[in-house]
Amino acid sequence: MNKLCQIAGLGICVPERVLSNHDLEQIMDTNEEWIVSRTGIHTRRILDASQGTSDVGFFAAQKAILDAGIDASEITHIFVATCTPDYLSPSVSCLIAARLGLSAYSGVSTISPTTKSLMCLDFNAACSGFVYGLEVARAFLALDSNAVVLLIAAEALSRRMNYNDRSTSVLFGDGAGAVVLRSKGDSFLTVHDVSCGTDGDLNELIQIGGGTNMNVVVGDTVKEDFFLNMQGRDVFKHAVRCMVQESLKLLSRNNLTIDDVDLFIPHQANARIIEAVGSRLEIPAEKVFTNVSEYGNTSAASILLALDDARKAGKVEAGKKTLITTFGAGLTWGSALLS
Ligand code: UT7
């Protein structure tokens, strides 16, 4: 199997502030029973007004670097998967590079052949960002076997929640995860295969405003299309279909069946989607990992928050097969096989 891409370190960061279902009951017409029965979510973590996506991304990155036992200066690429960046420009990856002390490389007066290279790149695959990022990282590691990739998935979805829209705003939370990826040295997991899909025709099912499609002038107030808008019922159906089909495709091309999977970590969108995907794949419930109850849907960060919890619970081991799968705006989706 392909050993080009190995996970050497993992770290996560969630904001301290907890937003409970009871808190939501105070600001909208909802109730604990509806939220829990329809979504399985009890709490989410929400950034303070003074914090942004790069803050949680940075702290997750620091932990991943420590976990990998490397010095930050060894990193050659920083990739950030996010659909909620601090700014349209500059990128979150550049902001995090500066906080990691890596911007010194751009401050040298003379660039010589020995000056260390560092590439910083953000990309937006919405909730599918981490799986897409694994595929991007695999390509760069294939180009350069000495590359050390810091892949961060960080989101601040609370910044785009319309709390007048009760069916969507109860679902999302903030957080970040990061991994150090390389093709040499110690690691605790190997990324064996990744498969990604897209259907841009369905882009209107989930949209977040604030981009250049909005012709905003100074003094305008933001309207509902500035926030995350989602057609929940349609998204539910496509999410289940895409995650199931992509996972089966990935297993099949690796000559595996669902029985070979030791641990299944689907995108933590909501408990009913997770149950539906698990049941269609016919994977035993005890192999399905979920922490959506605690964090809600953290978009690109969700699989890393779950992988970190699963690892701490002793469920992630080298040699055991972990299947991850995800789905998000775009539409985008993807699955990856780790062991
Ligand atoms: O990364 C992908 C992320 N996307 C998702 O996870 C979304 C997938 N979709 C879903 O999980 C579900 O569609 C939702 C949880 C978003 C909504 O559940 P639903 O069973 O599809 O509910 P609905 O929107 O059809 O609404 C059913 C009822 C409505 O009341 P009426 O018209 O039947 O009287 C809503 O007004 O539930 C009502 N409702 C609520 N009631 C209390 C909707 N939101 C709430 C709420 N509290 N927060």
Side-chain angles (χ1 to χ4, degrees):
M1 277 191 167
N2 181 352
K3 291 215 163 200
L4 268 181
C5 182
Q6 306 195 50
I7 304 181
L10 166 65
I12 66 149
C13 175
V14 289
E16 279 181 21
R17 188 172 155 210
V18 177
L19 185 69
S20 68
N21 294 339
H22 176 69
D23 295 330
L24 288 169
E25 286 173 3
Q26 314 307 309
I27 59 172
M28 66 177 74
D29 179 16
T30 191
N31 57 79
E32 166 91 2
E33 195 279 327
W34 191 97
I35 299 175
V36 172
S37 65
R38 302 292 177 113
T39 74
I41 299 167
H42 287 85
T43 53
R44 317 110 192 101
R45 299 298 184 93
I46 303 292
L47 283 167
D48 285 334
S50 62
Q51 300 169 312
T53 296
S54 63
D55 292 299
V56 274
F58 167 67
F59 290 118
Q62 269 194 325
K63 287 186 193 165
I65 291 165
L66 193 66
D67 188 42
I70 63 164
D71 190 87
S73 63
E74 293 175 55
I75 294 163
T76 56
H77 301 72
I78 301 178
F79 298 141
V80 175
T82 185
C83 60
T84 49
D86 297 47
Y87 307 100
L88 284 182
S89 186
S91 65
V92 177
S93 45
C94 282
L95 300 178
I96 292 176
R99 287 180 72 176
L100 288 171
L102 301 180
S103 54
Y105 298 114
S106 62
V108 295
S109 53
T110 310
I111 295 176
S112 74
T114 56
T115 305
K116 188 177 181 304
S117 296
L118 177 68
M119 178 181 175
C120 288
L121 174 72
D122 285 11
F123 57 90
N124 176 354
C127 301
S128 306
F130 175 61
V131 174
Y132 269 58
L134 287 178
E135 188 69 328
V136 173
R138 288 202 322 151
F140 279 86
L141 289 166
L143 282 173
D144 178 4
S145 62
N146 292 315
V148 178
V149 176
L150 174 62
L151 171 62
I152 302 163
E155 300 281 18
L157 263 299
S158 67
R159 290 290 199 273
R160 284 295 187 281
M161 282 306 109
N162 171 5
Y163 289 102
N164 293 325
D165 174 0
R166 63 178 183 171
S167 66
T168 298
S169 59
V170 300
L171 302 174
F172 292 90
D174 304 332
V179 284
V180 173
L181 302 165
R182 60 186 177 188
S183 51
K184 301 170 181 169
D186 293 340
S187 66
F188 73 93
L189 274 181
T190 296
V191 182
H192 285 294
D193 200 5
V194 183
S195 185
C196 297
T198 303
D199 186 349
D201 285 344
L202 296 174
N203 75 82
E204 290 182 359
L205 293 186
I206 317 174
Q207 289 189 337
I208 304 175
T212 55
N213 77 317
M214 298 175 79
N215 187 21
V216 181
V217 297
V218 175
D220 279 358
T221 52
V222 294
K223 302 194 172 59
E224 290 201 335
D225 58 1
F226 180 76
F227 298 96
L228 190 151
N229 287 282
M230 179 168 67
Q231 296 173 38
R233 289 202 163 185
D234 285 342
V235 169
F236 194 113
K237 285 184 274 184
H238 290 295
V240 174
R241 175 179 60 81
C242 294
M243 286 193 276
V244 168
Q245 289 178 357
E246 202 66 35
S247 296
L248 292 175
K249 184 173 112 186
L250 186 76
L251 290 172
S252 164
R253 81 180 185 200
N254 284 279
N255 299 315
L256 298 169
T257 71
I258 201 71
D259 293 338
D260 296 309
V261 173
D262 298 296
L263 179 66
F264 180 52
I265 305 182
H267 172 42
Q268 303 293 301
N270 72 51
R272 286 194 303 148
I273 291 182
I274 293 169
E275 278 160 25
V277 171
S279 123
R280 297 223 183 148
L281 284 174
E282 297 184 6
I283 186 158
E286 59 272 19
K287 289 186 178 180
V288 182
F289 192 85
T290 174
N291 63 2
V292 69
S293 163
E294 193 177 354
Y295 298 126
N297 182 345
T298 56
S299 186
S302 91
I303 287 187
L304 281 172
L305 297 187
L307 186 66
D308 188 68
D309 270 355
R311 186 184 181 202
K312 285 175 179 151
K315 293 175 187 262
V316 177
E317 282 177 49
K320 287 195 171 178
K321 291 182 183 59
T322 297
L323 176 66
I324 63 177
T325 188
T326 190
F327 174 89
L331 299 177
T332 57
W333 61 87
S335 297
L337 191 59
L338 321 173
S339 75

